[in-house]
Amino acid sequence: MDSELVDLPYADLLQPHTGGLDVEGRYDTLHFDGLTLSGQDAAGSGFLECAVTDCVLEEGSLRGARLGDVWLRGTRFVGTSLADSSWLDSTATSCVLAGVEAHGASLRRVVFRRCKFDSVNLRGSTSREVVFEECVLRDVDLGGASLTDVSFPGSSLERLHLAKARLTRVDLRGATTLDLADGHEALRGAVISPTQMMDLAPALAAALGIRVEA
């Protein structure tokens, strides 16, 4: 069930944010609404108990930013750097991340709901207790990433890169599409359905060097 802005425990404390973003800025109990923030450098910034609705962040930097208890809806990240950022107890609904650099990012207890990830670099990232619900992940690179207690109910995974990724209790059974570009060996730490196993069997055999002949 989707949460609403008014349902947030800090909703009554939110103040509208105007203007841009600053390097190492501190943003507490602010509402970013309908803003287009282009080419801005907010590296090292901290966002605590903030709401972000219908915003566009493009060609900017949130490198090393820290987001705690942040609620996002209808927001687009385009060509933005989220490298080495950390996300904790946050929710993103109907958001788009396209051409985003998020390598080395850390996500803990984060929910993505009906979001679209297109060509997102999450190499070397760490995800723990993260849910991707009814999302589309297309050409997402999780090479060398660590995923623990992550699930993908109702999500479509297209050309997912998992080379050298480490999966622990990752539940892929709810994914509507499971298409790996590489890293089939990383599935040793995942749970998949019998149907997914049949679909993946040829690629798994090839990855393990198994020849299947009649």
Side-chain angles (χ1 to χ4, degrees), residues 73-91:
R73 169 166 281 178
T75 291
R76 297 173 59 87
F77 296 86
V78 181
T80 297
S81 176
L82 292 168
D84 300 318
S85 60
S86 62
W87 300 58
L88 176 65
D89 294 325
S90 296
T91 301

Side-chain angles (χ1 to χ4, degrees), residues 11-61:
D12 292 341
L13 302 176
L14 289 172
Q15 298 294 320
H17 175 80
T18 57
L21 300 173
D22 299 317
V23 173
E24 298 185 353
R26 295 294 176 265
Y27 306 98
D28 295 351
T29 55
L30 292 174
H31 184 193
F32 300 79
D33 182 43
L35 303 177
T36 297
L37 303 169
S38 302
Q40 301 203 18
D41 188 354
S45 294
F47 299 82
L48 179 63
E49 295 187 339
C50 290
V52 184
T53 53
D54 301 318
C55 289
V56 178
L57 294 92
E58 56 184 4
E59 304 299 334
S61 176

Side-chain angles (χ1 to χ4, degrees), residues 181-199:
D182 54 43
H184 293 80
E185 67 283 354
L187 292 176
R188 64 172 55 93
V191 180
I192 62 176
S193 70
T195 300
Q196 290 170 331
M197 179 62 198
M198 295 298 294
D199 292 340

